[in-house]
Amino acid sequence: MTELEKGPQGRRRGRGARERILSASQQLFRDQGINHTGMDQLCSAAQVSKRTAYQHFAGKDELVAEYLRRFDPDVTGGVFDRTDLTPRERLLAAFEVPATGAQDITPMCPYIAASVEIHDPQHPARQYARDYKKTFAARLAETAREAGATNPEQLGEQLALLLDGASARTRVLNTESFPTAAAIAAVLIDNAIPTTAQQGHSHDWRDSPASGDDVSPSPGRRSV
């Protein structure tokens, strides 16, 4: 039998209270900021009582940290774990992540936004944002190493900085900055990867047809 609880209007709710709270936090924190969103407003938007909210989260600090954790897994895996792209293409694909197709073209990086709003460096959300940014730069460096970069750590940091700058500039100017950032990234990547390494990656088994095979590009093949 499904456990039920009563929301603020006395309506009976199911077990999805935690997901509704997180969904409300994603909407409200993005639209009006973390510091301007109180627990009362979150509970009202999620249609749960404060008692229920504190059963799922010890406090707002824990909720903010969990809100940030929800952004990561699908994004990094969707870029760095792709087997249909070369390492160079995966590096450039990182700049396509923010393009969600939504009407709002100002997707401020939630980790940057949280770090700006929360001044305490020991806050769990600040710590998670810092760890995430280091991990993301490390994944860029790892991919740069696969691509043959002479200094993969440096290239990873450069691309991470470029991504963060594009996110902030997009928000401030209310215009899309990621295509320009991707063009700059392509120059950085090509300057960091020796020509011989680039040629080696562009002539792997996928690009080497047997004698007599059609050498025209596949319609589904991506060219970056």
Side-chain angles (χ1 to χ4, degrees):
M1 182 175 182
T2 304
E3 178 185 350
L4 298 174
E5 55 94 6
K6 290 187 177 180
Q9 286 80 34
R11 289 175 288 182
R12 295 173 70 80
R13 301 290 174 190
R15 279 183 174 174
R18 180 182 176 85
E19 289 302 316
R20 292 202 305 277
I21 295 168
L22 286 169
S23 178
S25 72
Q26 289 181 320
Q27 181 72 32
L28 293 172
F29 289 162
R30 184 195 68 183
D31 291 349
Q32 60 188 36
I34 294 171
N35 293 338
H36 288 88
T37 301
M39 288 301 291
D40 287 337
Q41 185 181 16
L42 276 167
C43 290
S44 177
Q47 297 185 325
V48 301
S49 64
K50 288 186 72 173
R51 176 176 177 272
T52 296
Y54 286 115
Q55 287 177 341
H56 290 282
F57 303 96
K60 185 180 176 182
D61 288 354
E62 182 180 318
L63 174 59
V64 174
E66 182 61 25
Y67 149 78
L68 290 180
R69 292 189 189 99
R70 301 294 286 261
F71 283 93
D72 174 40
D74 293 338
V75 172
T76 55
V79 173
F80 297 115
D81 296 337
R82 291 185 62 175
T83 59
D84 61 320
L85 302 180
T86 66
R88 180 184 181 278
E89 289 172 334
R90 291 201 299 274
L91 288 173
L92 289 174
F95 290 82
E96 299 175 3
V97 171
T100 60
Q103 291 182 350
D104 181 7
I105 62 169
T106 57
M108 180 66 170
C109 170
Y111 305 99
I112 296 176
S115 297
V116 169
E117 287 201 69
I118 301 170
H119 297 162
D120 180 8
Q122 302 306 315
H123 189 286
R126 280 283 299 271
Q127 292 179 336
Y128 185 81
R130 183 166 54 250
D131 291 343
Y132 173 81
K133 287 298 183 181
K134 289 181 178 179
T135 299
F136 197 89
R139 293 298 302 270
L140 287 169
E142 177 185 338
T143 306
R145 185 175 294 105
E146 293 179 39
T150 54
N151 191 336
E153 287 74 19
Q154 181 183 67
L155 180 58
E157 285 294 328
Q158 290 173 336
L159 296 180
L161 179 61
L162 188 57
L163 278 165
D164 287 341
S167 174
R169 189 170 179 81
T170 294
R171 181 58 175 263
V172 171
L173 299 181
N174 193 35
T175 187
E176 186 57 79
S177 297
F178 285 96
T180 299
I184 298 172
V187 175
L188 288 172
I189 293 168
D190 289 341
N191 286 341
I193 301 174
T195 303
T196 54
Q198 294 185 40
Q199 291 174 343
H201 281 297
S202 64
H203 291 86
D204 60 17
W205 64 270
R206 292 173 301 177
D207 300 310
S208 301
S211 177
D213 287 351
D214 183 4
V215 296
S216 60
S218 170
R221 185 68 190 278
R222 176 187 174 126
S223 176
V224 178

